[in-house]
Amino acid sequence: MSLDEPLAPLPQEGMGFASAWPVRAGDVDPYQRLRFDATARYLQDIAWEEMQSGFFHRTDPAWIVRRTVVDVVRPIHWPDRVELRRWCSAMSTRWTNMRVRITSENGGLIETEGFWININEFTNMPTRISDEGLAELARTTDEHRLRWRPWLTDPTPPESDVDLPFPVRATDIDQYNHVNNAAYWQAVEQYLVDYPKLVAGPHRAVIEYVAPVLARQHVSVRSRYEPGDRAGHPTSLRLWFVVGGVTTTAVRIGPLPGA
């Protein structure tokens, strides 16, 4: 799969792990749209629920996310209730693509995929998924040779006067002493205030985490907006999170491929 391809479908209706809850007032923007950072928290929440419902919390308790894809086909608004369904769409022995479909009672639809890496709790390095875990993941996919390949490879622009600081708050730090992956989406939402047309129709947002950001580090965000042209290049917003001259995270938002 690549940046411009659709996400893998659910192999059979009813497969995967399902959960549901109401959209809450703190999850939405002033127009009642479910924000990206809230969607990212939903992905964490259903992953946690699935781990606790079975054996993963014993056999494979520690995971980090390397990439998240969020395809907003039809936006979800408050008040509404969402159902989430999570399944593995591709795997290897140390990492897996986990799909989450979010549907709402009022017709909203968000398709997501996350590249999750199983890590050793003591070394924080990738480690082999347990035999039980591999068997469970294989129930919903025949792709067992998943490789990591970055999608967001454009070079980071040079420092400029339009770079914005991204203050790291104590509440942004997770149990690994890293900025939690959902917190980055708050900066994305800050930029979208100036580019509302990007999310007015079906759109795809991709975030790739290149290196962790730790507590007390100083982060700045560089941006590039591309309005699109007649040659077929789509409108897009690109962001780079930079710490001490090193790019730690990259983001791209544009029209949903094929929409």
Side-chain angles (χ1 to χ4, degrees):
M1 183 184 166
S2 67
L3 182 63
D4 298 319
E5 294 180 0
L7 300 179
L10 182 66
Q12 182 179 331
E13 198 64 32
M15 297 188 77
F17 177 82
S19 188
W21 52 74
V23 176
R24 294 173 172 85
D27 297 337
V28 299
D29 69 6
Y31 304 99
Q32 320 298 354
R33 173 187 65 90
L34 181 68
R35 299 190 314 263
F36 280 114
D37 59 304
T39 300
R41 291 197 310 271
Y42 287 8
L43 303 183
Q44 293 176 359
D45 290 344
I46 190 172
W48 178 255
E49 285 193 13
E50 182 175 17
M51 284 183 62
Q52 296 303 308
S53 70
F55 56 81
F56 275 103
H57 68 284
R58 291 183 284 100
T59 60
D60 306 277
W63 298 76
I64 59 172
V65 178
R66 186 71 191 273
R67 174 172 55 227
T68 300
V69 184
V70 180
D71 288 352
V72 181
V73 183
R74 295 184 296 274
I76 294 171
H77 294 88
W78 178 87
D80 204 346
R81 183 175 178 82
V82 293
E83 178 178 309
L84 299 89
R85 186 167 297 275
R86 187 174 192 261
W87 71 94
C88 172
S89 60
M91 57 183 285
S92 187
T93 57
R94 298 187 179 200
W95 43 70
T96 173
N97 274 344
M98 297 303 299
R99 286 272 282 109
V100 178
R101 174 173 295 157
I102 308 175
T103 56
S104 80
E105 293 180 351
N106 291 331
L109 173 61
I110 299 177
E111 300 277 12
T112 79
E113 183 173 82
F115 190 101
W116 288 72
I117 301 175
N118 188 37
I119 63 171
N120 182 290
E121 291 184 279
F122 303 102
T123 65
N124 286 336
M125 296 296 292
T127 190
R128 188 181 186 278
I129 302 169
S130 67
D131 290 341
E132 284 180 283
L134 291 172
E136 178 65 19
L137 294 170
R139 293 177 61 249
T140 55
T141 182
D142 294 325
E143 176 53 69
H144 295 176
R145 301 186 66 180
L146 176 64
R147 300 279 193 272
W148 166 255
R149 183 170 62 87
W151 293 2
L152 307 182
T153 57
D154 286 356
T156 305
E159 184 178 1
S160 73
D161 292 339
V162 297
D163 291 1
L164 292 180
F166 177 55
V168 176
R169 303 163 301 182
T171 52
D172 296 331
I173 303 301
D174 63 18
Q175 65 266 42
Y176 301 112
N177 200 40
H178 300 163
V179 173
N180 183 269
N181 72 79
Y184 294 86
W185 291 101
Q186 297 173 13
V188 174
E189 290 286 343
Q190 185 69 35
Y191 276 88
L192 288 177
V193 171
D194 295 326
Y195 303 106
K197 289 185 178 180
L198 275 173
V199 294
H203 50 281
R204 167 172 286 184
V206 179
I207 188 167
E208 289 186 346
Y209 305 98
V210 182
V213 175
L214 306 178
R216 303 184 185 278
Q217 288 188 315
H218 297 283
V219 186
S220 61
V221 184
R222 298 176 191 172
S223 64
R224 187 172 73 204
Y225 177 73
E226 300 172 343
D229 55 37
R230 295 182 179 179
H233 299 101
T235 302
S236 66
L237 173 65
R238 298 169 188 262
L239 306 176
W240 294 266
F241 293 72
V242 180
V243 175
V246 176
T247 300
T248 66
T249 307
V251 178
R252 181 187 182 276
I253 302 175
L256 182 66

